[in-house]
Amino acid sequence: MSDAPRETRSTCPYCGVGCGVIIETQGAQITGVRGDPEHPANFGRLCTKGSTLHLTASAEVTRQARLLQPMRRPTRGAAAEAVAWDDALDFAADRFAQVIGEHGPDAVGFYLSGQLLTEDYYVFNKLAKGLVGTNNLDTNSRLCMSSAVAGYKQTLGADAPPACYEDFGHADCLFIAGSNTAWAHPILFRRIEDAKRANPALRIVVVDPRRTDTCEIADLHLALAPGTDVMLFHGMLHLMLRQGWTRPDYIAAHTAGFEALKAVVRDCTPDQVARVCGIAPDDLLQAARLFATSGATLSLYCMGLNQSSSGTAKNAALINLHLATAQIGRPGAGPFSLTGQPNAMGGREVGGLSNLLPAHRDLANPDHRAEVAAFWGVDHIPAVPGKSAIEMFQAAADGEIRALWIACTNPAQSMPDQATVRRALERAECVVVQEAFAGTATCAFADLLLPATSWGEKEGTVTNSERRISRVRAAVPPPGQAHHDWAIAVGFARRLAARLGHGAALFPYQTPEAVWNEHRASTRGRDLDITGMDYAMLERTPLQWPLRPGQATGAARLYTDGVFATGDGRARFAATSYQAVAEPRDARYPFSLNTGRLRDQWHGMSRTGTLGRLFGHVPEPVVQMHPQDMARHGLQDGDLVQLRSRRGGIVVPVAASTDLGLSQVFMAMHWGPEYLGGRGHDGTPLAGVNALTTPAHCPVSKQPELKHTPVRIEKAELPWALLAMAWLPQDRVLAVRAQLRALADALPFASCVPFGAAGAPAADGRSGQRSGVLLRAAATQAPDAALLAQVEQLLGLTGADTLRYADAHRGHRRAVRLRRDGALAHVEAVLLAGDTRAEQWLRTLLQDQLPAQDYGRQLLALQAQPPAGVAARGKLVCNCFGVAEAAIAQHLAHSEGSEDERLAALQQALQCGTNCGSCIPELRRMVRAAALPA
């Protein structure tokens, strides 16, 4: 490959917005990334995650974090050993063929990811349902989008979002339900800000139990009780009927089932809604009026509706409102489900769930099964329903499924009820993990590890939330021995076909385009027909489906003629009554745990977790709790608490937040065992936030209720504490973090995260980002001194440049390493054990790289109060320019003018919010708070 600088257009691998990116490379190394100004999803904008993609592909990250060769464990629990690709695939084919031969095809299961490309998905789906003859193929899209799928199909007839991104600018009312768009889909939130600027009359309603950053732009925030969305939507329809705000003409011409729905909502009076949902009747009336009477209403919704035991009912109840008021099929109007993952939509297109077949066909439909069997050239597609994600791991835990193939996902972090998931992974006779990153929790359970390519190396397609298909292109060759996901599946399928004695001709593919062409042919005549497009067209520009032969562009909006994807063309109202959460709070578990995203992190953080700078905004795992609830339980910020549900428990620091209602707590979904752990009283490893969450799921969509788990909270009595942190060389920092995390796991509580300093020089003097590691731990008493010695060794606290103090009798130990820069000295590493009162100011000295030469032995003192001149910058707000709370507050203290004028002045002075814009909602909140009287 030439060493000349090159640029390659591709697509971001994070959320479902589907942003176009331009990858900059030099030789075989990715050196930069920027937004593609010509891509219709983002027009050049990127969020804080997308704009740092190139840093996750650095040579240092690749060497430390990536899986670079096939590995096999000779026995369970043993260290994995390198094997050749042929040997690895032969081993997998032998084991799967043996299980199938002895126990039947339904004794194996495939668990995939919404981050796979469409071509990857298609091969795996054909492998399971066509070759093996099992429908036990599901994906982590079951955890995020299956309720949206079921809701669309139940009402509109097909899994097809009818709106598009252009509708943001045409709407008169935006109704955002169960979506913290500002954090989960930041580039779409930029469109909302644009729309509000262009049309100040635009009204925005946000429905969310928490006051998220998305609420900062809202005219009305409905802070409903968790899980009560169906009652809210039924109550809105009740008022629309009472006020005459429905469209009887549209209902009569284009829908069916309205009388049954009217009977269901009759009892959903404002008083009943207020009692169940906890909102004011006047707010309910305002929401109903804005939704029904605005010129065009666009609803945006996500996990708050989907991740529920009533997920399908919530989706359908919201769509009911659009149908009843004719707010669908025209610019600015429609129910728009925001996709969580970059290609959950593409996976749904090819049938990548256990109840689906290619091109939006249904497994339960015998005609559809016959069509697919004929298309693939197999005898039949089995009629036995496949196991959904929750069911698959339960079946493996019960011994029913004996072999698991897991690709591009991390169920040992992301699935609810981790005790069952881990039992499944331990009991399965063969676990194959196909993965790009070596450090995921699931990798520890694998008998066979297969290295896969990742962003910047892959070729294929993805489909975003607005049905737009974009090309993913390789900018650099695969690292090490990594292979493409579709090619791994093909190699395995060919070997397995030889052992099964059939299906040898099913997998002739030599390129991803060949796979995509077969997928395209399967869509002919279907609602998502893409037979009018080809790879050459996609090379020129992303395209929306459907796009049939003879059409130049795809459909921006669906159902513009009022004809829906049902047998008679009429949409169906869903007359489903409100049901409470599957597991209500009670006296033993009095708090509702909600889980969700952080602004700067993604899923299990296998990629974003390689960058310390992305931990600036939320640096460590915490559980948020209302200050009044904390006071009642005698808790203060930073106290360690035992957080327990009926399934398990974890230890985690607590943080006060007025964004929550009383009796509610929130913890980010990202904090899995890779970053948060310890040991229970019985020695059992603690497995992160999903040790708590419930496997209870929607009976239709099979999506689990990750948005509500009853928990109890008690102060953790762990008096001995440890804080250790250090700047480290880029080529060691991730490896050291993994070693520290494993070392501290013997203690009752441990968290270990990277940190960074935006814009600072690297430790070796080169330009770039500095990186460090922070370890926090706690126990009932001081651990063996050898453990602390190992921590010091890993953090470089053993040399002559280290100041130290130890009191073995009291369990106290302190060490500080200084780096001399001429007359100046800077703190490079700190360990505080037993007494950590000096944490705040020592941490400030280290992370903010303040001069420390004047403090001498004071660096080893127990004092909690910082010396003069040491002031913390506070939480990092703007990741792009490293702007923290203190600088923002200082500027706002002297700022005048309107809210918009003060925000503009702040941005001009400090640059915060002028790059990716992800921090703008928080900046706006700070501007507003600074204007309030003291």
Side-chain angles (χ1 to χ4, degrees):
M1 178 174 286
S2 169
D3 285 339
R6 296 175 60 249
E7 293 187 344
T8 305
R9 280 186 155 84
S10 190
T11 309
C12 179
Y14 290 127
C15 76
V17 176
C19 294
V21 296
I22 297 176
I23 306 172
E24 302 163 4
T25 56
Q26 183 109 30
Q29 184 60 53
I30 293 174
T31 57
V33 68
R34 66 183 191 275
D36 184 348
E38 297 179 8
H39 197 290
N42 60 314
F43 295 110
R45 286 169 161 168
L46 290 178
C47 72
T48 182
K49 296 183 291 292
S51 60
T52 54
L53 270 169
H54 61 295
L55 300 177
T56 70
S58 70
E60 293 88 353
V61 169
T62 298
R63 282 193 295 269
Q64 295 174 84
R66 291 290 296 275
L67 184 62
L68 297 174
Q69 57 188 342
M71 307 283 286
R72 181 159 69 91
R73 287 189 171 86
T75 59
R76 286 281 169 91
E81 301 172 353
V83 294
W85 262 108
D86 284 342
D87 294 339
L89 292 177
D90 283 340
F91 169 82
D94 287 341
R95 295 298 299 273
F96 270 66
Q98 180 182 358
V99 169
I100 293 166
E102 294 177 359
H103 304 286
D106 287 334
V108 303
F110 297 85
Y111 187 58
L112 311 181
S113 168
Q115 295 165 73
L116 289 172
L117 306 188
T118 300
E119 295 78 1
D120 306 327
Y121 258 122
Y122 185 88
V123 175
F124 269 113
N125 201 37
K126 189 176 185 181
L127 160 62
K129 296 169 185 173
L131 174 63
V132 175
T134 182
N135 293 313
N136 289 342
L137 178 143
D138 214 55
T139 83
N140 61 12
S141 298
R142 184 69 66 181
L143 308 184
C144 66
M145 297 310 299
S146 58
S147 292
V149 174
Y152 276 141
K153 291 172 67 175
Q154 192 176 89
T155 55
L156 308 183
D159 174 22
C164 63
Y165 296 161
E166 287 182 359
D167 287 324
F168 286 53
H170 295 291
D172 298 296
C173 173
L174 284 176
F175 190 86
I176 305 173
S179 169
N180 185 9
T181 319
W183 283 15
H185 299 92
I187 299 307
L188 291 188
F189 197 74
R190 303 286 83 76
R191 285 185 182 250
I192 295 174
E193 292 168 333
D194 292 345
K196 185 71 171 177
R197 257 190 309 272
N199 176 20
L202 171 66
R203 292 294 172 258
I204 301 174
V205 180
V206 174
V207 180
D208 199 307
R210 296 190 300 142
R211 184 168 185 85
T212 67
D213 272 12
T214 302
C215 297
E216 293 308 304
I217 204 169
D219 299 285
L220 175 64
H221 173 211
L222 300 178
L224 79 174
T228 61
D229 306 75
V230 171
M231 176 60 76
L232 171 68
F233 300 151
H234 283 356
M236 290 172 63
L237 183 55
H238 177 102
L239 284 174
M240 292 174 187
L241 287 164
R242 179 192 294 181
Q243 299 293 333
W245 290 336
T246 60
R247 282 280 304 275
D249 56 335
Y250 188 91
I251 293 168
H254 302 293
T255 72
F258 192 56
E259 290 303 314
L261 178 59
K262 285 171 64 176
V264 167
V265 306
R266 186 174 296 121
D267 296 330
C268 300
T269 63
D271 288 344
Q272 174 73 348
V273 173
R275 184 185 66 80
V276 172
C277 299
I279 64 171
D282 286 347
D283 288 344
L284 177 69
L285 179 63
Q286 185 182 0
R289 177 180 58 79
L290 288 172
F291 193 107
T293 66
S294 294
T297 295
L298 181 70
S299 65
L300 308 173
Y301 50 101
C302 201
M303 301 309 152
L305 300 195
N306 296 346
Q307 291 176 335
S308 169
S309 57
S310 298
T312 303
K314 288 181 179 183
N315 276 260
L318 179 56
I319 296 170
N320 285 343
L321 300 183
H322 284 275
L323 295 173
T325 56
Q327 295 281 12
I328 190 171
R330 51 196 174 82
F336 198 172
S337 163
L338 301 181
T339 311
Q341 296 188 85
N343 200 35
M345 184 75 75
R348 288 141 62 182
E349 292 164 9
V350 302
L353 288 172
S354 60
N355 57 311
L356 300 179
L357 290 172
H360 288 178
R361 292 176 174 90
D362 284 320
L363 180 68
N365 186 322
D367 292 337
H368 288 181
R369 293 198 303 273
E371 289 171 8
V372 172
F375 182 77
W376 280 345
V378 298
D379 291 339
H380 70 286
I381 301 297
V384 178
K387 304 287 188 188
S388 67
I390 299 294
E391 297 165 334
M392 185 182 297
F393 283 89
Q394 184 65 61
D398 293 342
E400 180 183 346
I401 288 180
R402 296 168 179 263
L404 286 168
W405 191 296
I406 299 166
C408 194
T409 187
N410 188 15
Q413 185 274 335
S414 59
M415 289 278 289
D417 187 14
Q418 278 293 303
T420 297
V421 173
R422 284 156 187 265
R423 191 164 67 249
L425 293 169
E426 289 166 352
R427 186 168 184 182
E429 297 171 13
C430 180
V431 177
V432 178
V433 174
Q434 180 173 322
E435 177 59 71
F437 290 89
T440 72
T442 306
C443 286
F445 295 90
D447 299 294
L448 182 66
L449 289 159
L450 302 177
T453 51
S454 188
W455 175 83
E457 305 147 11
K458 294 172 71 78
E459 287 279 349
T461 59
V462 293
T463 308
N464 71 0
S465 294
E466 63 168 352
R467 298 171 281 104
R468 190 178 298 277
I469 300 173
S470 296
R471 283 279 282 114
V472 172
R473 298 178 179 88
V476 294
Q481 298 179 40
H483 286 189
H484 299 309
D485 288 291
W486 69 269
I488 296 171
V490 167
F492 169 69
R494 290 171 178 169
R495 286 168 169 82
L496 184 60
R499 287 158 175 80
L500 297 179
H502 64 85
L506 291 178
F507 302 93
Y509 321 112
Q510 298 296 322
T511 64
E513 183 177 2
V515 179
W516 188 87
N517 286 339
E518 185 172 311
H519 158 57
R520 177 186 62 182
S522 76
T523 69
R524 189 177 302 279
R526 304 290 300 164
D527 67 288
L528 72 164
D529 193 329
I530 57 170
T531 53
M533 69 174 76
D534 55 32
Y535 249 43
M537 295 168 66
L538 291 172
E539 285 295 329
R540 293 191 291 273
T541 186
L543 295 167
Q544 286 175 286
W545 59 255
L547 199 158
R548 299 176 176 87
Q551 297 176 334
T553 59
R557 298 172 190 86
L558 305 181
Y559 315 129
T560 55
D561 55 1
V563 177
F564 293 89
T566 58
D568 59 6
R570 288 176 173 269
R572 302 288 191 267
F573 284 103
T576 306
S577 298
Y578 163 72
Q579 297 287 328
V581 292
E583 193 177 329
R585 296 195 308 255
D586 58 24
R588 290 189 62 210
Y589 300 96
F591 291 94
S592 295
L593 170 67
N594 183 4
T595 62
R597 296 188 187 279
L598 297 177
R599 188 191 74 185
D600 297 344
Q601 299 295 353
W602 174 252
H603 281 204
M605 301 194 288
S606 55
R607 180 183 294 278
T608 56
T610 64
L611 299 183
R613 65 177 289 175
L614 293 182
F615 287 75
H617 190 240
V618 179
E620 299 180 65
V622 296
V623 59
Q624 293 181 336
M625 190 177 187
H626 195 281
Q628 292 181 27
D629 285 327
M630 288 178 62
R632 276 194 291 271
H633 285 72
L635 299 171
Q636 297 182 351
D637 258 340
D639 282 351
L640 290 178
V641 295
Q642 295 270 0
L643 194 60
R644 295 201 63 84
S645 75
R646 291 179 175 87
R647 281 150 297 280
I650 59 174
V651 177
V652 66
V654 66
S657 174
T658 55
D659 296 337
L660 298 160
L662 294 172
S663 300
Q664 297 178 32
V665 295
F666 175 84
M667 189 168 172
M669 59 178 277
H670 315 288
W671 299 120
E674 297 89 342
Y675 300 92
L676 174 66
R679 296 273 167 177
H681 294 302
D682 59 357
T684 305
L686 304 182
V689 64
N690 282 314
L692 309 169
T693 49
T694 176
H697 53 273
C698 171
V700 180
S701 71
K702 308 294 181 72
Q703 184 160 354
E705 192 152 61
L706 291 168
K707 291 296 182 183
H708 172 82
T709 300
V711 295
R712 67 172 180 262
I713 298 179
E714 300 164 348
K715 188 170 183 178
E717 300 300 333
L718 299 171
W720 183 87
L722 169 70
L723 174 85
M725 59 190 304
W727 295 110
L728 293 167
Q730 296 278 48
D731 60 359
R732 289 183 53 235
V733 63
L734 298 179
V736 169
R737 194 204 72 80
Q739 291 173 280
L740 286 171
R741 172 67 188 84
L743 186 64
D745 213 24
L747 302 175
F749 162 73
S751 73
C752 194
V753 296
F755 64 86
D764 58 7
R766 296 177 301 169
S767 63
Q769 303 296 321
R770 294 202 74 186
S771 296
V773 174
L774 185 152
L775 169 67
R776 190 182 298 280
T780 54
Q781 60 187 18
D784 190 276
L787 186 148
L788 296 180
Q790 287 178 277
V791 173
E792 290 181 344
Q793 180 73 37
L794 287 168
L795 296 183
L797 284 162
T798 57
D801 54 356
T802 298
L803 306 173
R804 60 181 59 258
Y805 166 85
D807 182 342
H809 177 70
R810 300 172 65 190
H812 291 178
R813 186 167 176 146
R814 295 189 286 284
V816 178
R817 174 163 56 87
L818 296 175
R819 171 174 53 85
R820 298 286 176 179
D821 298 310
L824 300 178
H826 293 89
V827 175
E828 287 289 287
V830 170
L831 180 141
L832 302 175
D835 189 321
T836 60
R837 283 178 291 172
E839 171 192 338
Q840 290 304 321
W841 67 271
L842 282 174
R843 185 172 175 176
T844 297
L845 279 178
L846 187 149
Q847 285 193 271
D848 294 352
Q849 301 169 91
L850 301 178
Q853 65 278 357
D854 295 335
Y855 301 119
R857 303 295 296 184
Q858 197 174 2
L859 295 170
L860 297 178
L862 296 176
Q863 67 187 67
Q865 291 299 316
V870 181
R873 299 170 67 227
K875 183 181 75 171
L876 190 68
V877 175
C878 176
N879 217 323
C880 297
F881 295 106
V883 184
E885 283 178 327
I888 296 169
Q890 182 178 4
H891 182 276
L892 291 177
H894 306 286
S895 181
E896 296 180 349
S898 68
E899 180 180 316
D900 287 341
E901 289 170 340
R902 283 180 290 134
L903 177 61
L906 175 67
Q907 292 179 285
Q908 183 176 10
L910 302 182
Q911 291 188 285
C912 48
T914 60
N915 185 34
C916 75
S918 297
C919 63
I920 289 176
E922 187 168 359
L923 294 176
R924 192 173 291 280
R925 183 188 298 202
M926 295 178 73
V927 168
R928 193 172 295 135
L932 296 175

